[in-house]
Amino acid sequence: MSNSYQINSKEEYDLAYKKSIENPEAFWSDVADNFHWHKKWDQVLHWDFVSPKIEWFKGGKLNITENCLDRWVKSQPDAAAIIWEANDPNEESRTLTYKELHFKVSQFANVLKNNGARKGDRICIYMPMVPELTIAILACARIGCIHSVVFGGFSAQSISDRIQDAQCNIVITADGAFRGNKSIPLKSIIDEALITCPSVKKVIVLTRTSIPVSMLNGRDVWWEEEIKQVENKGNPECIAESMDAEDMLFILYTSGSTGKPKGVVHTCGGYMVWTNYTFVNVFQYQKSQIHFCTADIGWITGHSYIIYGPLSAGATSLMFEGIPTWPDSGRFWDIIEKHKVDILYTAPTAIRSLMGFGLDPIKEKNLSSLKILGTVGEPINEEAWHWYNENIGKKNCPIVDTWWQTETGGILISNIAGITKSKPTFATLPLPGIQPIIVDENGNELVGNNVSGNLCIKFPWPGILRTTYGDHERCRTAYFSTYKNLYFTGDGCLRDAEGDYRITGRVDDVLNVSGHRIGTAEVENAINMHSGVVESAIVGYPHDIKGQGIYAFVIFNGIHTDEAHTRKDICITVSKIIGAIAKPDKIQFVSGLPKTRSGKIMRRILRKIAEGETTNLGDTTTLLDPAVVEEIKLNRL
Ligand code: PRX
């Protein structure tokens, strides 16, 4: 790639950063000029962080899929857009060129139309990591439908909540999904979810595992049969809907500190520009390179750096269906060798888990194609960073530590591969357009270096969330009300003597378990659904592989003859309500919880106990019943 906005040196980074701060509108207008628009925007940026109201490229008309597909079909039709590696190494991998992907997206967009999809409809996608997932997402975007992808590990209840919140009318799923040596019955989970979702009129089902499924007459149709109908009609062309830059592109649900997950909304123009700009620059993508992002498309990392960032840059994106440890813990390294991967983008939790298998699985694997490594999702510890650098990068590959969030659309703070310096455990510097500030509890800006506090951003960038679906007030209170005129990230952070940023983790009641955000309130609500549970409190504790583990303190008054059995029951309840990813790692039964006189659970104390700190618990004099703390300490797991 040699876009006019590709940063090629530290000087260019400094210059771009300076320009982006001094004149953001001119800066982003220049970047946006590199895309295909049906009509140019009327105004580059309109914003206030009070309402909040944020508009980028308003009045501009475009379709993101033309930028991800059509323009590459013209210039490089036979270049690989997607390389897909199956769960089972014995199954053949698939490559879709830009021409083929364009064809299939158009075809499936017509399937959606035949099934009643109209511009503005919300479509829920619950699928395995197969190319058809990418096809389904892009087909929605092609016709102006808003996709809401739900990660394949979520339960029927979680899917139902998300479908109801967005009032989806179509669901796209598969019979099942392969994950390691397991198969997950996606369609039957959807069937259960849909009992409480009257808005859904059609379910389109892809065949993947060929397990028997029940197909409801009039509602459920097979993907393959619908495609045949489109084929029979001849022309698969599907003209891309002309969207306003500020029309919604997708909703992605994410956990917060309170209540149910929020539907984070991203729009067409700004999100496209941001994911593309950050992809091209942070990873220093060069034409024909193969980019392997190991995330699931059910999370924002997959949306931005498997699909929209790479495809809008004409890149080759490798999509992997399986898990890093099956059939053995050398699976990632085999994939890298087989497909000659240039860029590997993964999570610290995966690195830590693979470190645990020692160096044998890497021996004799040819990783020499690798040029750039990346991490995302959680703070990376020093040991994992060095292991990644030495054993995977062979000290030859810059590591980018990319900090960002579902709400930010793409990377905000990261070094630029090979161009700005990397520093273990530091995300380092803000990208052009990003103005981070660190504030204390009262919102006072901490200026200068060697400070730590809460991380906020004071100016919008094109990829910032616009709202939370159906509840703008929630967006305001969650992100724009803690500190006046600032976007509050929920993360703690320090800026060291050299001005580099290090993210230290969440400062709210959100856990980061294996790089996945989990709200403590959500897990508590799920545990409390168990008929024997009176009350519960969740905190995080340091976990060698997951980063944070889930520690549950539970008051139980049901009859439990066997504590181990009750623990399993509680885990099953959590899996049913949220999904297996939210299962507690430890459950301690307690007779009471440390509460203030006003009834508030003092999590600070529980957090310390869970972390193994038993002497220095801070002030406990305000507790209603200090004795309960002694009991909890004594029985700590
Ligand atoms: O706490 C930060 C952590 O992950 C949170 C965002 O989670 P989510 O919206 O699920 O998106 C994850 C993928 C972008 C952040 O608030 N986080 C993400 N990246 C890093 C990180 N913490 C430290 N270092 C990172 N590089």
Side-chain angles (χ1 to χ4, degrees), residues 254 299-301 375-380 401-407 413 427 489-491 503-506 512 515-517:
T254 189
W299 309 107
I300 191 71
T301 308
T375 70
V376 59
E378 50 178 321
I380 183 162
D401 179 347
T402 64
W403 172 81
W404 58 295
Q405 311 177 297
T406 305
E407 294 85 347
I413 303 184
T489 64
D491 278 325
I503 313 301
T504 48
R506 302 290 302 194
N512 190 327
H516 299 146
R517 257 159 83 166

